Amino acid sequence: MPGWTHKTDETVQHMSDFVLPLPKHETAVAVHGAAVHEHAPASSLSRNRVGLWWFILSECFLFLAFISARYYLLGLERPAELNQALGLGLSLLLLVSSLTAYRAELGAQHGDRRRLLRNTATTILLGLVFLMGVGYEWSEALVHFPPSEAFGTVFFSLTGLHAFHVLSGVVLLALVYWNARRGRYDSGSIWGVEASVKYWHFVDVAWVFIYPTLYLVR
Amino acid sequence: MPLVQAFVFAAIGGVFGVGVTVAGRVLTGREAWSLEPVVTVGYIFALLGWLLGIGVWDQWAREWLGLPVEHRQHRGWARYFAFTTDHKVVGVQYLVTFVALFLLAGLLAMLIRIELMAPGMTFMGLGTYNQVMSLHGIVMVAVAVATIIGGLGNYTVPLLIGAEDVAFPRLNALSYWLVPPVAILLIGTFFTGGLDTGWTAYPPLSDVNAAGQVLFNLAVITFGLSSILGGLNFLVTIATLRAPGMGWGRLPIFVWSIFAASLISLTATQFLAAGLMMILFDRLLGMAFFRASAGGDPLLYQHVFWFYSHPAVYIMILPGFGLALEVLSHFSRKPLFGYRLVPGGFIAIVVLSFVVWAHHLFTSGMSDALHGPFMVTTELISIPTGLVFLSALGTLWLGRLWLTTPMLFGLAFVFNFLIGGLTGIYLADVPTDIHLQDTHFVVAHFHYTIVGGEIFALFAGIYYWFPKMTGRMFSERWGKVHFWWMFLAYHTTFIPMFWAGIHGMNRRVGDYPAELGDVNLFISVAAFVMGGSFVVFTANVVWSWVRGPRAVANPWRAHTLEWQVASPPPIENFPATPVVVGSPYAYGVPGAVHAVLTTAPAHTPAASGGAQAEPAGPALAADSA
Ligand SMILES: [Cu+2]
């Protein structure tokens, strides 16, 4: 074998005994009489679902990096000036929005366009109120712990990173609303709704870790 | 022309971003022009414009608004300059781009070696040296991360698993088209004060140096995004698109290695992005992540950075392992030894790679209590790595070695990586590392793992799949000339570097003590000779691609699926989904069959396909040797 070169085609033609012709439509089971693993390539919906989960895992690492920066720089230290009432209120707001997002998805699953629209609109509204709350929180924070100090640095970067994700979630839900109004989910292919809602849940869960990191640990 | 449209959209986006920034600054009562924020916001919008223009708008984003999308498939040469979703086109795009970048960054290495031929600054100033060294570093890191995975991985993984394409073809095209902006930004660093922090971008320097640092950070974050999306695509492709019968226990080992490397790309890369974002926040928003005077800590960056960058060396080397084992098995005409253990080894490497990062901080002032644990975890990695070696040696043992060019590169991989691995022990061990840290011993060590390991494996892969990708044969004689030339010059270059490092040759510095002049002159001359070997490679590849003899479908008589279709494969890869019934490596096993292919009668091979020496009809791969 070492003497063989791939340069001439005749040599290779002699090797056609390495590649056996097989009768047409022959199945693997018939060749071997053995069972083939019964899995077919996945549908595009299940591919999308798997992809979304991997994406969410990836995003977790981004938040993890900034959360660990908080503990690395400050340990468990936190300033007394944090607006605890506002922090708690914003957290509850976001949890409620997860519920409405869930109901929007239910509406889409049942082909109930009005329920989908109503709950999507509510979720978007709650998201926007959350963002305004963060904006108000920032105006207070600028006075007590500006971003040029260690706590301000982790506070503004973590809430900012999260607010950016909320904003992108709002944009996604707005697209869902736009498409739902035009009846694009009535046919039952509701991946757009499912993905946006899952993303929204993820952004909420991220906050569930960020909130204690900034407001509660001591 | 999609490229023209992309540049126009990018310009519109850039102007818009700059306008918004200037307007915002004026409205908040600040000076209208400030280079760093203007560049950052301008770039973000220019990038959006670039992506929309190249094809995201026409072929994708319209869908989100409920508008009809265009499914335009470019033909001929045009598809390589367009938003093309065929994984084979994307693979070639990646491969050609990154091999070109490899050659360019190699030229930068030649400049470095010219400067280091003699002590003192003889050829360029210290500032220029820093730029050249930094750019060589970051471009080669990008090459090491993306060439095998993005190039060979994209081309072959769907073929190897019997799929028509990757799971998300449009995302795949997007990953590739994120790369040109990275190159443009890196070139831009030259015009914005240069880049002097090496590829690692350590603060405090990177917090305060010229604006080129901002462009560097934006470039690397963009590249990281490309890497994350590429990794995600491979994970979903391998998890969901395997042909019937292609269980996890029958995956070609290269596919396994891509899967393992993608796990790291997907997750760890976020830490690189986070670290670079923190630098940007410090510079643009006045934050204090790394400013010790305001309660920050530069060491935080080193932790965040190496939490990515140590695993990243396995993004580079795992596909190298996979490629080498793949080639060793096919050209030893023997089943892969320990096939069932190797994927376990890969996964163990992935897991361990996340708990060793602080071995880069032994001399940084990190708590002494962390030295021992990180030394131990680092050395633990040698166990799964040893498993890979065992598999390589067991495969070669009593094999009928077919010493083709790809096989020679595969064999060299085993030899080179052994040296790279063994010298790594001195850097994992705290007592020796404290002496060797930041010397050319480290430079030699990682060039042994990445060049001697990954790049040799890359060349094995390029030669191995060249007939499949181009439909042409390369010149075996010139391939062997390339191999021996590169192999000998490579060792002549890097072995003395260990010696220079032990004797105090610092890395990253253009000047050095006079007594190291002789060894450096020797290294430089050897490096120039090594550089010459790539001329042979380039000439061989370009000539063969244009003029080489037509390749048959399966010149290596390999069993894996990609060789059972024409060279190059038709656009849909397989006329009908193949059914996998056995191991891909059952060489010399009587009657063993990897897969059954059926031909749909309507199908004709791609027009560009070569002469078919094999029966065009249904075929199954078996070996009677
Ligand atoms: Cu490391």
Side-chain angles (χ1 to χ4, degrees):
Chain A
M1 197 174 294
W4 288 349
T5 153
H6 59 256
K7 276 224 175 136
T8 51
D9 284 359
E10 310 98 76
T11 340
V12 178
Q13 255 156 358
H14 288 306
M15 294 166 194
S16 57
D17 56 336
F18 287 93
V19 184
L20 305 177
L22 189 83
K24 261 189 186 144
H25 312 302
E26 185 76 89
T27 67
V29 181
V31 168
H32 269 295
V36 169
H37 292 243
E38 280 308 323
H39 82 261
S43 71
S44 94
L45 180 62
S46 64
R47 255 183 284 156
N48 287 342
R49 283 186 178 141
V50 175
L52 184 64
W53 282 116
W54 284 121
F55 175 74
I56 285 174
L57 176 70
S58 177
E59 288 276 282
C60 288
F61 275 73
L62 180 63
F63 284 107
L64 189 66
F66 279 88
I67 289 175
S68 29
R70 183 260 192 269
Y71 293 106
Y72 186 88
L73 290 179
L74 292 146
L76 302 180
E77 193 186 309
R78 86 177 133 84
E81 294 91 348
L82 278 162
N83 188 336
Q84 291 292 351
L86 186 57
L88 184 64
L90 287 176
S91 307
L92 292 175
L93 195 73
L94 218 48
L95 288 179
V96 172
S97 79
S98 244
L99 191 69
T100 56
Y102 169 69
R103 290 167 65 90
E105 192 183 354
L106 275 188
Q109 278 167 359
H110 292 138
D112 185 345
R113 197 199 294 184
R114 283 191 48 203
R115 191 168 162 199
L116 167 62
L117 283 170
R118 195 175 59 235
N119 284 293
T120 306
T122 317
T123 312
I124 292 172
L125 200 69
L126 289 169
L128 290 174
V129 173
F130 176 86
L131 287 174
M132 286 190 295
V134 171
Y136 177 76
E137 177 77 324
W138 281 6
S139 69
E140 284 192 345
L142 273 174
V143 179
H144 299 298
F145 35 86
S148 54
E149 295 167 8
F151 188 82
T153 295
V154 293
F155 181 85
F156 278 92
S157 57
L158 262 175
T159 51
L161 188 71
H162 182 261
F164 177 76
H165 279 79
V166 172
L167 186 65
S168 54
V170 166
V171 171
L172 287 178
L173 288 171
L175 283 173
V176 166
Y177 189 84
W178 161 267
N179 284 314
R181 287 224 15 188
R182 293 151 59 104
R184 274 192 73 204
Y185 303 118
D186 295 355
S187 61
S189 55
I190 58 158
W191 167 246
V193 182
E194 190 187 324
S196 308
V197 168
K198 285 230 171 70
Y199 181 75
W200 190 262
H201 290 322
F202 160 69
V203 174
D204 286 3
V205 171
W207 181 256
V208 168
F209 287 89
I210 293 170
Y211 170 63
T213 296
L214 291 175
Y215 287 84
L216 299 183
V217 291
R218 167 147 289 173
Chain B
M1 272 300 286
L3 263 184
V4 176
Q5 187 178 321
F7 276 110
V8 171
F9 278 35
I12 295 171
V15 169
F16 174 79
V18 170
V20 166
T21 319
V22 170
R25 291 182 66 85
V26 170
L27 286 176
T28 50
R30 274 170 291 185
E31 209 181 324
W33 184 264
S34 170
L35 182 62
E36 296 189 5
V38 165
V39 162
T40 305
V41 182
Y43 170 71
I44 292 169
F45 284 97
L47 180 67
L48 284 174
W50 165 265
L51 294 174
L52 289 173
I54 195 72
V56 171
W57 172 252
D58 291 338
Q59 297 188 40
W60 202 349
R62 290 168 60 90
E63 197 173 285
W64 308 332
L65 299 172
L67 301 169
V69 290
E70 262 182 63
H71 288 292
R72 188 174 19 164
Q73 279 299 339
H74 293 269
R75 301 199 155 270
W77 277 101
R79 65 204 157 128
Y80 293 104
F81 299 93
F83 193 82
T84 307
T85 52
D86 181 357
H87 71 97
K88 299 185 285 300
V89 173
V90 177
V92 172
Q93 285 173 325
Y94 262 107
L95 202 55
V96 171
T97 307
F98 279 93
V99 168
L101 287 172
F102 171 78
L103 297 174
L104 280 175
L107 285 178
L108 293 174
M110 298 295 102
L111 295 181
I112 292 172
R113 284 322 310 182
I114 291 175
E115 174 53 55
L116 295 180
M117 279 170 86
M121 298 312 288
T122 50
F123 175 62
M124 52 178 121
L126 281 169
T128 315
Y129 183 87
N130 285 346
Q131 286 187 36
V132 171
M133 177 272 297
S134 300
L135 210 58
H136 167 76
I138 190 63
V139 176
M140 283 303 197
V141 164
V143 165
V145 165
T147 317
I148 293 189
I149 300 189
L152 297 176
N154 256 316
Y155 198 99
T156 62
V157 164
L159 285 163
L160 283 164
I161 64 173
E164 197 183 323
D165 206 321
V166 292
F168 306 116
R170 289 181 296 196
L171 193 67
N172 204 20
L174 176 72
S175 306
Y176 171 74
W177 285 105
L178 281 167
V179 173
V182 177
I184 292 170
L185 279 178
L186 287 178
I187 293 166
T189 59
F190 275 111
F191 306 102
T192 44
L195 174 69
D196 49 5
T197 50
W199 83 276
T200 54
Y202 275 11
L205 179 58
S206 57
D207 252 15
V208 295
N209 57 355
Q213 188 67 47
V214 171
L215 273 74
F216 171 91
N217 284 24
L218 293 170
V220 177
I221 290 172
T222 309
F223 181 69
L225 180 62
S226 165
S227 183
I228 289 169
L229 298 177
L232 184 140
N233 219 336
F234 278 119
L235 290 170
V236 181
T237 303
I238 298 167
T240 63
L241 291 186
R242 284 167 289 123
M246 181 67 88
W248 292 94
R250 285 176 183 163
L251 275 186
I253 209 67
F254 179 62
V255 178
W256 261 112
S257 72
I258 294 280
F259 187 83
S262 296
L263 283 172
I264 303 176
S265 296
L266 180 83
T267 53
T269 312
Q270 294 281 11
F271 268 68
L272 176 68
L276 294 170
M277 269 191 243
M278 288 173 188
I279 291 174
L280 288 178
F281 291 167
D282 274 12
R283 295 179 70 118
L284 301 171
L285 306 173
M287 287 192 179
F289 278 107
F290 309 128
R291 282 190 295 123
S293 58
D297 187 349
L299 262 191
L300 168 64
Y301 179 82
Q302 297 190 20
H303 282 292
V304 172
F305 176 82
W306 287 110
F307 191 81
Y308 162 74
S309 292
H310 185 84
V313 304
Y314 292 102
I315 301 179
M316 303 172 190
I317 202 63
L318 279 169
F321 286 162
L323 257 180
L325 292 181
E326 191 79 32
V327 164
L328 291 181
S329 172
H330 296 310
F331 292 100
S332 301
R333 314 307 293 177
K334 269 187 65 194
L336 187 66
F337 180 74
Y339 171 81
R340 302 219 156 241
L341 291 178
V342 176
F346 288 167
I347 298 301
I349 287 175
V350 170
V351 172
L352 282 173
S353 77
F354 280 96
V355 290
V356 301
W357 78 88
H359 61 218
H360 295 271
L361 282 76
F362 286 151
T363 62
S364 292
M366 166 185 80
S367 161
D368 285 355
L370 294 173
H371 286 183
F374 278 102
M375 180 172 89
V376 172
T377 52
T378 302
E379 292 185 346
L380 278 179
I381 289 202
S382 57
I383 296 172
T385 310
L387 217 59
V388 174
F389 260 87
L390 201 66
S391 167
L393 297 180
T395 305
L396 292 172
W397 186 256
L398 295 179
R400 298 171 70 187
L401 305 194
W402 187 9
L403 294 176
T404 58
T405 306
M407 181 60 162
L408 290 173
F409 276 99
L411 289 170
F413 171 94
V414 179
F415 179 73
N416 299 344
F417 195 82
L418 183 66
I419 299 177
L422 290 179
T423 51
I425 296 172
Y426 297 96
L427 301 173
D429 278 355
V430 180
T432 39
D433 180 66
I434 285 173
H435 176 68
L436 295 169
Q437 168 83 26
D438 265 335
T439 68
H440 269 217
F441 188 93
V442 181
V443 177
H445 158 70
F446 71 71
H447 280 84
Y448 257 96
T449 54
I450 302 303
V451 182
E454 191 203 356
I455 298 298
F456 271 76
L458 169 69
F459 281 118
I462 288 177
Y463 282 115
Y464 178 56
W465 280 310
F466 186 86
K468 184 53 58 184
M469 294 188 288
T470 62
R472 306 271 185 169
M473 290 311 297
F474 58 88
S475 158
E476 183 71 26
R477 178 183 303 149
W478 286 105
K480 282 183 174 143
V481 169
H482 168 215
F483 169 77
W484 286 109
W485 188 337
M486 179 176 166
F487 180 77
L488 295 173
Y490 165 79
H491 286 283
T492 317
T493 305
F494 287 99
I495 287 281
M497 239 184 236
F498 286 116
W499 187 90
I502 293 169
H503 288 82
M505 176 78 190
N506 277 316
R507 64 187 285 212
R508 296 199 183 95
V509 186
D511 196 2
Y512 56 86
E515 65 266 26
L516 293 170
D518 289 344
V519 65
N520 271 298
L521 179 62
F522 182 86
I523 293 171
S524 286
V525 172
F528 301 146
V529 174
M530 182 182 165
S533 71
F534 300 112
V535 178
V536 177
F537 163 75
T538 311
N540 187 3
V541 160
V542 171
W543 190 87
S544 304
W545 201 337
V546 180
R547 283 279 162 89
R550 297 279 179 193
V552 295
N554 193 357
W556 314 120
R557 307 189 316 285
H559 285 189
T560 42
L561 284 168
E562 82 277 28
W563 296 108
Q564 315 313 322
V565 292
S567 301
I571 192 158
E572 70 283 9
N573 290 349
F574 300 97
T577 309
V579 177
V580 178
V581 293
S583 158
Y585 302 112
Y587 294 103
V589 180
V593 174
H594 176 43
V596 179
L597 278 80
T598 46
T599 309
H603 165 67
T604 47
S608 49
Q612 299 300 301
E614 292 170 11
L620 62 84
D623 198 341
S624 52

